[in-house]
Amino acid sequence: MTKDAEGRGRFRQWVHETFDDMWFRSMIGPAQTKGAVQGCDEGAREQWKRDLENRKRYTREQRERKRLARETNRA
């Protein structure tokens, strides 16, 4: 049987990694989703949304430029 660095077999290692972590998570309680975006206050969320929209706008503009360049080369 293959052993890990601590001398445990693969099955024991899997049990240790899976259930010890599960036990710890059950002790600290359920995951929180409130404020999941970094910065978690309203201003930071709004800035994140504006930044995302600017990135999408830039990508759309780049696609349009490439499309126009392709059409120009065809003509």
Side-chain angles (χ1 to χ4, degrees), residues 20-56:
D20 285 357
D21 190 40
M22 191 181 301
W23 178 81
F24 174 73
R25 289 178 186 209
S26 68
M27 292 298 292
I28 62 173
Q32 300 293 317
T33 57
K34 181 178 180 187
V37 175
Q38 292 296 324
C40 74
D41 62 348
E42 188 64 30
R45 277 193 298 276
E46 292 304 316
Q47 180 58 40
W48 180 80
K49 289 176 187 176
R50 283 192 298 272
D51 182 56
L52 183 62
E53 181 53 39
N54 286 337
R55 289 170 187 253
K56 288 180 178 180

Side-chain angles (χ1 to χ4, degrees), residues 1 9 12-13 24 48 60 70-71:
M1 176 178 255
R12 286 189 67 201
Q13 180 66 25
F24 174 73
W48 180 80
R60 284 190 302 266
R70 280 193 308 268
E71 289 178 0

Side-chain angles (χ1 to χ4, degrees), residues 66-75:
K66 288 179 183 178
R67 187 185 63 76
L68 289 173
R70 280 193 308 268
E71 289 178 0
T72 303
N73 289 337
R74 287 183 196 169

